[in-house]
Amino acid sequence: MTRTIGLALSGGGSRAAAFHLGCLRALNDRDLLAQVRVVSGISGGSLLASLWAYGPADFADFDARTTELLRAGLQWDILRKALTPAAAARNLTAATRARAKGLFSRTVAVTRTANRTDALATLLAERAFGTKTMDQVTHPGLDTVITATDLATTNAVRFGSTLSSCSRYGTITEPVQVATAVAASAAFPLLLPAMERTFTFERVGQLQRHTVLLTDGGVFDNLGLSVLEPGRNAAFTPQVFNVPYVIACDAGQGELPSQAPHFIARRVARSFETVHRKNQDAGRARLHEWGATGRIDGFTLAYLGMKDHRLPAPPADLVPRERVATYPTNFKAMNQADFTALTTRGEQLMRTLLPFGTPPAPSTRMTQHAKPWTTGESPAFPGSG
């Protein structure tokens, strides 16, 4: 079977991971996961992408393990690991050294490797990925890309099954553990410190050591679509995937409620929310532009936060947007009701929207553009909300 689909799983913490699991259930039922050429994961989407790509080959086993992990949560275990006396002492010592040297200095020595994000990486290794490296994908023919952001250079650092790289420095020569890549991509800056790592980079035959400060991939591209952009130039990026069909799972919450942010804390937070939301809208608009101009043959966008009345044929038992849109993006344990609501909405949206995006039939290449989804007036496009 020819793999022709690019799958993008957005950020959004545990809300995203649960929503994406529902989307993958629908794709599995349509036998479309076997056609995925590359999966791009961001933050919470990187967790779900990696649980699938590096987990059990059988979908039911993957589903069961993912359900167990999300229901149990990670947040308290992260704190327990980070706050053990030994870990706390290492973190305090490392933080003191980092401050003394200057956190953004271009030193080769790693100065801070004992913080809560490192605890997350250790926890992910113990509970999900072991010592697996990015090249050890479960499904033959599938590529993976997990994106983090380097705060030192403001560039993306992309960890991939074929290669890992930073456009500023070149390709990483060492194997990268899956747990490290996922923890770096999911390190939401307000809650988790940057993960500091030193890698050997190769560029034009030259090897150099550089330290990167890895934080949430959503800072750079929260939809995970940039690596799937058609026509990417291999001279500027080593990760080029010219897939004819894109399936995007977007866990954004959609239109935000009105507020009156008169004071500084809320003014800053609301300004961030505005910039983030408009960047999200721009990313979705690019996907529509790719379809409208024939740069891809078609796409499906399952958007958690879209208004229910914009669905072309909503199911009678649709989980309403209001039920799940405000679910937090942390990794606390999920109760059964919230988990079921998020996964069910993901599955319902994907099942509803797939026929309108002209998804590929097994073993065939698409020949039609996704006409219903190529303008800003389409039901899947958020517009101003």
Side-chain angles (χ1 to χ4, degrees):
M1 180 177 292
T2 302
R3 291 184 176 272
T4 55
I5 296 174
L7 176 62
L9 304 181
S10 80
S14 53
R15 180 179 73 218
F19 176 74
H20 298 334
L21 175 60
C23 292
L24 261 63
R25 287 174 177 173
L27 295 175
N28 180 64
D29 288 346
R30 290 286 301 272
D31 294 324
L32 291 175
L33 286 181
Q35 295 183 64
V36 174
R37 165 72 178 82
V38 55
V39 58
S40 169
I42 305 289
S43 192
S46 75
L47 174 61
L48 199 282
S50 297
L51 288 170
W52 171 59
Y54 296 94
D58 180 74
F59 187 86
D61 290 342
F62 148 73
D63 194 325
R65 291 191 186 184
T66 301
T67 298
E68 181 182 7
L69 183 68
L70 294 179
R71 292 275 286 109
L74 295 168
Q75 187 159 301
W76 292 116
D77 285 339
I78 294 171
L79 291 176
R80 278 194 288 268
K81 280 193 172 295
L83 295 179
T84 62
R90 289 196 307 272
N91 187 26
L92 179 61
T93 301
T96 302
R97 288 205 317 265
R99 180 172 294 277
K101 291 184 179 181
L103 190 59
F104 292 94
S105 65
R106 294 290 81 198
T107 61
V108 171
V110 176
T111 58
R112 194 174 184 192
T113 58
N115 59 36
R116 294 188 304 280
T117 309
D118 293 291
L120 172 59
T122 301
L123 185 62
L124 289 172
E126 292 176 354
R127 295 182 56 182
F129 305 117
T131 59
K132 281 189 176 181
T133 52
M134 291 296 296
D135 60 309
Q136 296 177 309
V137 180
T138 299
H139 310 283
L142 174 68
D143 274 321
T144 62
V145 180
I146 303 301
T147 299
T149 305
D150 177 23
L151 289 178
T153 64
T154 71
N155 288 93
V157 178
R158 304 195 192 277
F159 300 106
S161 53
T162 301
L163 55 83
S164 300
S165 67
C166 174
S167 59
R168 180 75 66 98
Y169 300 133
T171 59
I172 297 172
T173 62
E174 301 97 337
V176 177
Q177 289 196 355
V178 176
T180 297
V182 174
S185 181
F188 184 62
L190 296 181
L191 299 176
L192 293 170
M195 173 185 283
E196 187 167 346
R197 291 292 185 271
T198 297
F199 296 113
T200 303
F201 291 88
E202 188 275 331
R203 169 165 291 180
V204 198
Q206 300 294 315
L207 298 180
Q208 288 189 325
R209 300 274 286 173
H210 294 285
T211 299
V212 289
L213 300 175
L214 300 168
T215 195
D216 196 328
V219 174
F220 191 89
D221 167 25
N222 197 51
L223 296 181
L225 288 170
S226 58
V227 297
L228 303 180
E229 182 172 3
R232 278 164 62 88
N233 192 333
F236 300 101
T237 175
Q239 284 146 334
V240 176
F241 304 96
N242 287 313
V243 289
Y245 194 88
V246 173
I247 295 177
C249 305
D250 178 357
Q253 65 184 116
E255 188 175 74
L256 302 178
S258 297
Q259 292 185 359
H262 293 300
F263 302 101
I264 186 168
R266 281 308 306 157
R267 287 202 310 270
V268 172
R270 199 61 167 178
S271 297
F272 171 81
E273 290 168 351
T274 301
V275 172
H276 178 74
R277 181 160 173 261
K278 297 316 294 180
N279 284 338
Q280 299 284 85
D281 285 352
R284 299 179 193 112
R286 285 195 298 273
L287 185 59
H288 284 262
E289 185 271 332
W290 300 347
T293 58
R295 298 177 68 192
I296 57 176
D297 292 344
F299 69 91
T300 297
L301 171 61
Y303 176 27
L304 179 147
M306 70 180 295
K307 293 182 177 180
D308 296 346
H309 71 269
R310 303 184 75 175
L311 274 169
D317 60 346
L318 175 68
V319 174
R321 169 191 171 275
E322 290 75 16
R323 171 65 180 83
V324 295
T326 58
Y327 188 86
T329 59
N330 55 38
F331 286 104
K332 286 185 179 179
M334 303 181 75
N335 65 49
Q336 185 63 56
D338 289 333
F339 177 79
T340 299
L342 282 160
T343 55
T344 300
R345 182 167 173 87
E347 190 169 356
Q348 289 175 325
L349 292 185
M350 186 61 72
R351 289 185 187 279
T352 300
L353 296 170
L354 274 172
F356 293 88
T358 318
S363 302
T364 65
R365 176 183 168 88
M366 295 68 67
T367 57
Q368 296 179 342
H369 300 315
K371 296 297 185 182
W373 307 126
T374 55
T375 72
E377 299 302 317
S378 74
F381 184 68
S384 60

